[in-house]
Amino acid sequence: MLESFVSLLAIGTILLAAYGVGRPMLRALGRIEMDRLTAVVWSLAMGLIAWGMALALLGAVGSLYSSLIVVASLVAGLWGVRELVRRPVLRVGSRSAETIDSAWDIDEPSRVAPPSAWLGHGAWWLAAVACSGALLGALAPPTAADSLCYHLELPKRFLADHALSFSPNGHPTADLLLIEMWYLWALALDGPVAAQLISWTLGVLLALATVVLARPLVGRDWAWAAGAVVVLVPGVNRQMTMAGGDIGLTLLTTLVLAAWWRAMVSQEGRRWFILAGVAAGAALSAKYSAMWFVAAVALVWAWTLARHPSRRRVLLEGAAIVSLVAVVTSGFWYARAAWRHGEPIYPALVGTAFDALSEPDSPETSSAGESSPSRGLLGLVVAPWRVTIEPERFGDREYPLGVLFLGVMPGLCLARRLRGLGSLLGVAAVYGVVWYFVYPRTGLLLPIVAPLAVAVVWVWIEVQRFPPRARWAATAVVALVLGVSALAAVGQSRDCWAVAFGGETRQAFLSRCEPSFGAAVTAHTVLGPEARILSQDTRLFYFDAKITREDIFRRKTQYDRQIEAPSDFSRVLRVSGFTHVLLVENLAERGAAFDSRFSRLAEADDSLELVSEHYAEDAEGGWRHYRLLALP
Amino acid sequence: MIMIAPVRPPETGACRVGRRWRQARGFVAATLLNQPQAPTGPPIAAWKAWAFVGWLVLVTAVFGVSMLR
């Protein structure tokens, strides 16, 4: 329990430090009309982005020291407390109601009747239950493959090297590391659990950012329902329990939409373009797939430009402002990628439809089996059905969107037109099309969850015009869906309750739930500091020794082509500086499958000496056999 | 002329129960039932509403079965 409390304290320090930096930055932009919630969300976002850039610059100059980060965080945290106590948040400014173009347009949110008490409070109670379940999952030590592979492994290496070094485990697409800088921050303050709590915090911020996005369209009361819907999306809730990249990207793209809508649709001033540029730059610093999102926004922007020639000058100025600010915000990462690869964009194409020669990202593939759907127009039409009902065809079942969007969105055909909603849905539609034809993985659909949630809420507002019995029937089904989502969020974290509440130590939890932990502990016990391991497993985080992914090493060096005789295996690896190899195989029919090339080469060389072996069950029911072998 | 307020007889057990019952109904109504709302727009045709409900039920049922697989 004390460990969990310390991790929560670290997150609290991070949030205060972010607010302490972001609030003055927001104030420096000048007077922007925004309510308190919007000011808090933007202050935290600006602060997180600024801290990420500052940590990246520290890493670039070789000054990534945990002690320095801790001291700076405490100082900024105290300033954040001062900001909260002494300076009031900007007050809301009155926005003049605009005329309604037609009787079928709803332009003024105040004309919409507020939700009934039980509906509004009920949605948020369910969201709170889901968040609590996710929090319990986040308080357990990380065991997700992606987290241990590079989202936490890279920050760990950066802290060990005190610099933003080019890791040998760096996947070609892992050059945009803004979100990893936040994980690095949490690792410096506490450890991997605090880093996982960053992800949970980003999920809560995403819900609040959705409220900020929805408020100008559907009013304050219904906007909170939109925030609740986002948290109850199963994929979002699961991402809140693991250190990954998708939920951070989703937060940033939602903020882009929120600021862009205020500037372009609601015309609330040019300063909103600056905020949109900052968020866009941060999104482009998080993942390459943010380019699709930016392209979708640009396309809708161009459409607006064509439809409203009288506003051409303002829109073009806004585009210039957003572009300039985004380039300044994200430029460091692309310059670094260009320095490493020779150009900054190509790594993004690995594994996509443009990369015909791509190899699998990891030898650990899901046992669910990925059968890519055909990417024709017919496939695009049925994609919403398949993504909902068969998410395993688009990656795996880990990040499903749930049934609410597919079920409720057709109600837009019955609803009146809501001014501004078309722009949001236009961005979502363009992004969805690009997603489908370039890289259809379910996790990459999360950036459109927020605008879809706003549409769901608008349909729900219009459901109030249904006959009473139809309204009650629809209400019951939606309540059932949301209730099951909330309960599922709690149920999926039940393995973590004991360690979250202190009934089980973190080491015992890892021994039980993380298959690589036993091998990592053994390696730490028997190996010296000079050991270098070439690993078949991608779960590297818990190994203290210098460890390199074999699949990435093979892709970079083609070392297997130098092996003509079995004995060449150990010679080639020794020349490359390795002292040990870590083999892993799955002895069961279920669970992950591993590429056997490496283990076949190792087993053919008789000179390797077995140091230790370890058996462990993984989360998918596989039975893993680890062998640590010493090179002669 | 002196006006005398009407004498109110003491509350009987039945009156007390009835008052509390009215209070409870009012509490339930305020919590669970919709608040009096401003007009939300023209009503939607019943067949369209029930078609939407049917689609919602169908999708939810198929999704539930697929998740249980």
Side-chain angles (χ1 to χ4, degrees), chain A residues 360-511:
Chain A
D361 285 356
S362 161
E364 182 178 340
T365 56
S366 170
S367 61
E370 298 179 13
S371 56
S372 292
S374 59
R375 296 183 190 175
L377 287 177
L378 182 60
L380 177 64
V381 170
V382 300
W385 177 271
R386 283 189 170 156
V387 165
T388 302
I389 305 299
E390 302 172 306
E392 65 274 10
R393 295 170 69 94
F394 297 90
D396 55 36
R397 284 181 172 264
E398 287 300 312
Y399 314 120
L401 295 186
V403 72
L404 197 64
F405 297 129
L406 181 66
V408 175
M409 293 289 289
L412 286 172
C413 300
L414 308 176
R416 291 168 292 178
R417 191 171 75 89
L418 177 65
R419 181 177 172 272
L421 183 60
S423 301
L424 297 184
L425 293 180
V427 171
V430 173
Y431 181 87
V433 171
V434 175
W435 166 88
Y436 180 77
F437 285 108
V438 175
Y439 200 52
R441 291 293 178 266
T442 321
L444 295 179
L445 268 181
L446 292 187
I448 63 172
V449 160
L452 293 185
V454 177
V456 163
V457 166
W458 174 238
V459 171
W460 205 248
I461 292 171
E462 292 291 276
V463 163
Q464 311 311 307
R465 296 163 49 207
F466 278 17
R469 287 185 182 175
R471 187 170 70 237
W472 277 103
T475 302
V477 174
V478 171
L480 175 69
V481 168
L482 295 180
V484 169
S485 295
L487 292 177
V490 175
Q492 75 187 13
S493 69
R494 61 185 181 279
D495 278 347
C496 309
W497 293 353
V499 68
F501 288 114
E504 183 183 29
T505 64
R506 289 178 175 177
Q507 284 232 342
F509 173 83
L510 286 170
S511 300

Side-chain angles (χ1 to χ4, degrees), chain A residues 115-321:
Chain A
S116 58
W118 73 268
L119 178 64
H121 295 159
W124 264 94
W125 273 113
L126 290 177
V129 168
C131 281
S132 302
L135 178 61
L136 293 177
L139 281 171
T143 56
D146 277 353
S147 303
L148 305 182
C149 176
Y150 75 89
H151 287 295
L152 294 182
E153 167 65 12
L154 290 183
K156 185 190 83 174
R157 285 293 149 209
F158 295 153
L159 276 178
D161 297 340
H162 305 300
L164 222 57
S165 51
F166 288 113
S167 167
N169 299 316
H171 191 275
T173 61
D175 283 315
L176 305 179
L177 300 170
L178 175 66
I179 297 174
E180 281 71 23
M181 290 298 101
W182 299 339
Y183 295 144
L184 182 148
W185 191 5
L187 284 177
L189 263 64
D190 178 49
V193 173
Q196 201 159 250
L197 286 172
I198 287 276
S199 206
W200 181 85
T201 306
L202 293 178
V204 173
L205 273 177
L206 170 61
L208 297 177
T210 305
V211 176
V212 167
L213 172 67
R215 189 177 282 200
L217 285 101
V218 296
R220 186 189 65 182
D221 298 316
W222 285 102
W224 287 100
V229 165
V230 163
V231 170
L232 289 167
V233 171
V236 170
N237 201 272
R238 287 188 192 183
Q239 283 273 340
M240 289 169 70
T241 65
M242 52 170 283
D246 292 320
I247 202 163
L249 175 66
T250 306
L251 167 66
L252 295 168
T253 54
T254 303
L255 289 173
V256 170
L257 283 180
W260 172 75
W261 195 94
R262 294 256 182 137
M264 198 190 74
V265 180
S266 189
Q267 304 175 55
E268 293 185 32
R270 287 184 173 80
R271 288 186 174 92
W272 283 105
F273 285 125
I274 298 177
L275 291 175
V278 170
L284 290 168
S285 305
K287 274 198 157 189
Y288 282 106
S289 57
M291 291 182 192
W292 313 342
F293 190 86
V294 170
V297 171
L299 203 62
V300 174
W301 203 322
W303 172 255
T304 307
L305 198 65
R307 286 188 63 199
H308 300 278
S310 60
R311 297 174 52 203
R312 190 163 293 166
R313 184 182 171 190
V314 172
L315 293 178
L316 287 175
E317 282 180 3
I321 294 171

Side-chain angles (χ1 to χ4, degrees), chain A residues 363-364 534-537 549-551 554 559-560 563 565-567 569-570 573 580-587 592-608 610 624-629 631:
Chain A
E364 182 178 340
L534 187 63
S535 171
Q536 191 175 7
D537 195 7
R549 278 175 59 174
E550 188 274 335
D551 59 326
R554 174 163 25 98
Y559 78 93
D560 52 331
I563 298 173
S567 58
F569 175 78
S570 51
L573 294 187
H580 294 79
V581 297
L582 180 69
L583 306 181
V584 60
E585 58 180 334
N586 184 7
L587 302 178
F594 294 92
D595 185 352
S596 60
R597 277 180 282 185
F598 184 54
S599 45
R600 282 202 304 268
L601 288 172
E603 288 164 358
D605 190 338
D606 296 331
S607 62
L608 272 65
L610 179 67
R624 298 192 183 197
H625 177 210
Y626 287 89
R627 284 176 289 169
L628 182 63
L629 304 168
L631 296 173

Side-chain angles (χ1 to χ4, degrees), chain B residues 14-66:
Chain B
C15 293
R16 196 179 304 121
V17 169
R19 176 172 58 83
R20 288 176 181 170
W21 180 241
R22 284 192 301 275
Q23 285 176 343
R25 285 195 308 179
F27 175 78
V28 170
T31 304
L32 297 181
L33 298 180
N34 289 345
Q35 302 293 329
Q37 296 180 3
T40 56
I44 291 175
W47 72 269
K48 291 181 181 177
W50 282 109
F52 173 74
V53 172
W55 164 257
L56 197 53
V57 170
L58 172 69
V59 169
T60 304
V62 172
F63 180 79
V65 168
S66 71

